Amino acid sequence: MPSIFSKIVSGEIPSYKVAEDDRFLAFLDINPLAKGHTLVIPKKETDYIFDIEDDEYKELFLFAKKVAKSIGKCIQCERVGVAVIGLEVAHAHIHLIPINGIYDIDFSKPKLKLSQEEFQMIAQRIASKIE
Ligand code: AMP
């Protein structure tokens, strides 16, 4: 059965996309720790990130770097934090989270509730800065 993220890739489930190419996709986390919290995934489904083949692994992180630069340009933050958890969704993904301190990347914190319009606006802003 395809993962929920594969269903996002196929368009079966909607998402707030910020960047995409033939192999990778970045979209907003639906339960964000901060405005601009983004997930970067390989379109090819692999559960554990360290099982991804070397070339694809490198390209995934290069794609995430591009997305992180865009987030940094349009979301006020000290820097963009990076985390890989993977306990909830068994499809490898990188969390990119705008942070100003260590507590901003604490996954046990309550998540933000954003409106559809806010998600759309944030996704558009990040997408517009992708180079
Ligand atoms: P983890 O697997 O522990 O890294 O957590 C999975 C992350 O995916 C969580 O932060 C969820 O909020 C996020 N998530 C789950 N379903 C969706 C979805 N349909 N769209 C966007 N983000 C999602």
Side-chain angles (χ1 to χ4, degrees), residues 25-81:
L25 174 65
F27 53 96
L28 296 183
D29 193 303
I30 206 73
N31 300 302
L33 279 171
K35 287 185 180 178
H37 181 167
T38 299
L39 302 176
V40 181
I41 65 166
K43 290 186 173 179
K44 186 175 145 206
E45 187 175 330
T46 301
D47 174 359
Y48 189 39
I49 197 160
F50 297 127
D51 286 335
I52 294 174
E53 173 272 319
D54 287 358
D55 279 345
E56 188 177 60
Y57 180 85
K58 278 186 271 186
E59 295 296 326
L60 172 67
F61 274 84
L62 285 173
F63 190 84
K65 178 179 175 182
K66 197 165 62 166
V67 176
K69 296 269 188 195
S70 311
I71 295 171
K73 282 182 191 154
C74 56
I75 306 283
Q76 187 68 40
C77 61
E78 177 85 21
R79 54 181 58 204
V80 176

Side-chain angles (χ1 to χ4, degrees), residues 4-5 8 13-16 27-33 37 39 83-91 93-95 107 111:
I4 189 159
F5 290 170
I8 285 176
I13 290 179
S15 68
Y16 300 98
F27 53 96
L28 296 183
D29 193 303
I30 206 73
N31 300 302
L33 279 171
H37 181 167
L39 302 176
V84 176
I85 314 293
L87 291 173
E88 188 187 315
V89 177
H91 182 142
H93 52 283
I94 299 170
H95 292 260
F107 280 80
K111 308 302 186 293

Side-chain angles (χ1 to χ4, degrees), residues 16 18 27-38 75 96-98 110-126:
Y16 300 98
V18 307
F27 53 96
L28 296 183
D29 193 303
I30 206 73
N31 300 302
L33 279 171
K35 287 185 180 178
H37 181 167
T38 299
I75 306 283
L96 298 176
I97 306 166
K111 308 302 186 293
L112 296 184
K113 296 271 179 256
L114 303 178
S115 67
Q116 202 173 325
E117 290 70 27
E118 282 177 297
F119 275 118
Q120 271 162 0
M121 199 193 67
I122 294 165
Q124 276 165 15
R125 274 167 55 202
I126 298 171

